[in-house]
Amino acid sequence: MMGCQVAPAQLFYDFCLDDHVPANHLLRGIDRHLELDSVRAQLRPFYSGTGRPSIDPELMMRMLIIGYSMGIRSERRLCEEVHLNLAYRWFCRLGLDGKVPDHSSFSKNRHGRFRQSDIRRHMFETVVERCLAQGLVGAEGFAVDASLIAADANKQRSVPGSEWEAKEESRFGLRPGYIAADSAYGSADNLAWLVKEKKIAPHIPVFDKSNRTDGTFSRSDFTWEAENDRYICPAGKELKQFHRTYATPRSGITAKGTRLYRASKRDCDHCELKPQCCPNMPLRKIPRDLNEDARDVARAIAATPQYEQSRHRRKKVEMLFAHLRILRMARLRLRGPCGARDEFLLAATAQNLRRLAKLRPLHGVIAA
Ligand code: SF4
């Protein structure tokens, strides 16, 4: 017989919200790892001591985490979803009849006090601390990658990277043994900073324009002899910076910040390999970057099995960007550098919480 659902006419219900959130729900896993005790203390100086009680900042932080974990980008929709979804209500400690903030008050707080107090960075660091405590961060190596995410930005009002306020890496006292990145990070300056200043092994492909494609010898066909400060060409002749002694010593550094090593014209004139080496020049010249030694370190590392391993690990960072797009972060909603920073901090916090929930689930329960 076909059943027919009739709205029950009970006046009172025995209903426990906690019973209706599945044990393996992602938000349960996130809730287990979320520590917001310090949020209130961090935000207290930004609230007045008198007047009407505000919306609970912890409630707003929980709502933001839902938004960035579940791909709900619109604040208006987030408020609606929290109002209707039992699991979201449970996560926000709202009960069945708790009032969900209006989306405009939510936005006002988010862009006002939250930004002034830098609470998002505080939360991000709290979650990273949790990852460290759970043994998910070893710091033997870091992987870096970049992805383009569209934003509403005015190029005329852009701020050079050098003027950005940089936060120290040293926040957690972590010191990576190596850094894996793609060739966009393989400039001589970057590599020199890593190798000489930070003493970190660069697992980075060298950004190299010296390879020739016209069939003539590339720089890699010449052998560098550091102890003699010279190159040896395929014909066994030497290329030096100076072929005579100057009365006034010269630095030998060109305007491009390189040292120029030259073969002897006499050697090149009589060389059988000249058509393959410098067919249109009287002699062969090889520029050497001032930080070429750092590039050589990166080239040597690229030939090791450890480099191959770190290259595979770097691919995991690419996956994180793909997940961001799945969570509808293909375009930033907030404007300006502060808006971008806020969005990325929240997205990274949500990603780390999702990872914690998945890798460190409740005892005996596999997280969704
Ligand atoms: S052309 Fe000059 S630099 Fe080139 S291989 Fe011959 S001798 Fe060496």
Side-chain angles (χ1 to χ4, degrees):
M1 191 179 86
M2 186 186 291
C4 180
Q5 178 71 31
V6 179
Q10 279 177 261
L11 189 57
F12 299 104
Y13 290 90
D14 183 13
F15 187 93
C16 176
L17 197 51
D18 191 56
D19 295 342
H20 291 265
V21 180
N24 63 350
H25 196 287
L26 174 66
L27 288 180
R28 273 198 187 273
I30 289 179
D31 187 63
R32 180 170 177 254
H33 294 287
L34 191 60
E35 291 166 9
L36 292 173
D37 300 344
S38 54
V39 165
R40 221 174 278 277
Q42 175 98 1
L43 285 168
R44 185 156 291 123
F46 297 88
Y47 283 85
S48 164
T50 56
R52 280 193 308 154
S54 72
I55 302 165
D56 184 352
E58 182 177 332
L59 166 62
M60 283 190 287
M61 295 308 296
R62 285 180 177 273
M63 286 176 69
L64 282 172
I65 289 166
I66 290 175
Y68 281 83
S69 303
M70 301 298 185
I72 305 170
R73 307 277 291 130
S74 149
E75 279 153 13
R76 187 187 292 261
R77 215 192 116 215
L78 178 62
C79 293
E80 287 170 4
E81 291 286 336
V82 171
H83 180 71
L84 291 171
N85 190 305
L86 289 184
Y88 296 174
R89 277 189 168 271
W90 171 85
F91 183 76
C92 291
R93 313 285 193 261
L94 278 169
L96 265 185
D97 53 0
K99 190 172 177 339
V100 177
D102 181 73
H103 67 87
S104 59
S105 333
F106 183 79
S107 295
K108 200 173 167 190
N109 276 282
R110 181 182 177 182
H111 302 307
R113 294 186 181 105
F114 281 18
R115 190 167 288 172
Q116 290 159 17
S117 63
D118 210 10
I119 191 69
R120 280 165 277 232
R121 172 160 286 278
H122 173 79
M123 237 182 62
F124 168 73
E125 290 178 353
T126 306
V127 174
V128 172
E129 261 173 359
R130 179 82 180 180
C131 293
L132 282 163
Q134 292 287 322
L136 295 182
V137 180
E140 66 274 11
F142 286 172
V144 185
D145 197 24
S147 181
L148 285 177
I149 292 184
D152 288 318
N154 184 345
K155 278 189 180 174
Q156 271 76 45
R157 297 181 63 190
S158 65
V159 180
S162 55
E163 291 177 22
W164 281 50
E165 183 197 350
K167 298 279 180 184
E168 282 292 314
E169 258 186 35
S170 58
R171 165 71 179 79
F172 295 104
L174 302 177
R175 185 172 180 77
Y178 70 84
I179 283 188
D182 63 22
S183 58
Y185 297 85
S187 69
D189 288 347
N190 255 351
L191 295 173
W193 178 76
L194 282 173
V195 173
K196 296 177 187 175
E197 198 176 317
K198 296 292 176 185
K199 312 283 186 229
I200 295 172
H203 287 221
I204 302 174
V206 176
F207 187 71
D208 204 344
K209 289 183 180 171
S210 68
N211 283 339
R212 294 187 171 185
T213 54
D214 60 357
T216 57
F217 294 140
S218 295
R219 185 170 56 194
S220 54
D221 295 310
F222 294 71
T223 308
W224 169 245
E225 287 186 355
E227 62 280 12
N228 297 320
D229 189 23
R230 66 180 185 180
Y231 278 99
I232 300 295
C233 74
K237 306 295 182 188
E238 68 175 6
L239 282 78
K240 299 194 298 185
Q241 268 196 287
F242 307 112
H243 285 268
R244 66 186 172 93
T245 309
Y246 292 95
T248 311
R250 300 185 174 191
S251 74
I253 300 170
T254 66
K256 289 182 181 172
T258 59
R259 296 182 189 278
L260 209 53
Y261 289 80
R262 298 177 181 82
S264 148
K265 184 170 180 307
R266 197 170 45 236
D267 288 340
C268 293
D269 279 346
H270 302 102
C271 179
E272 290 178 1
L273 298 176
K274 191 166 189 301
Q276 291 167 261
C277 186
C278 47
N280 305 318
M281 301 282 287
L283 56 95
R284 179 66 188 257
K285 296 176 197 170
I286 295 196
R288 182 176 171 83
D289 197 283
L290 292 179
N291 293 315
E292 198 64 32
D293 48 348
R295 289 154 62 106
D296 286 341
V297 170
R299 285 190 189 102
I301 289 172
T304 61
Q306 289 83 0
Y307 176 82
E308 200 54 31
Q309 286 172 5
S310 60
R311 204 170 68 86
H312 284 296
R313 285 182 184 163
R314 182 163 59 79
K315 298 288 175 200
K316 292 183 181 173
V317 183
E318 290 175 11
M319 284 305 297
L320 291 177
F321 282 113
H323 288 158
L324 277 186
R325 290 177 194 284
I326 292 168
L327 292 172
R328 302 186 182 170
M329 271 278 288
R331 184 179 192 91
L332 296 183
R333 289 189 67 247
L334 305 186
R335 293 181 177 178
C338 291
R341 190 185 58 182
D342 290 352
E343 290 225 63
F344 284 123
L345 279 172
L346 275 167
T349 303
Q351 278 198 331
N352 285 339
L353 282 168
R354 284 173 68 101
R355 186 61 62 94
L356 269 168
K358 192 167 185 179
L359 299 176
R360 296 287 185 272
L362 290 164
H363 299 299
V365 175
I366 298 169

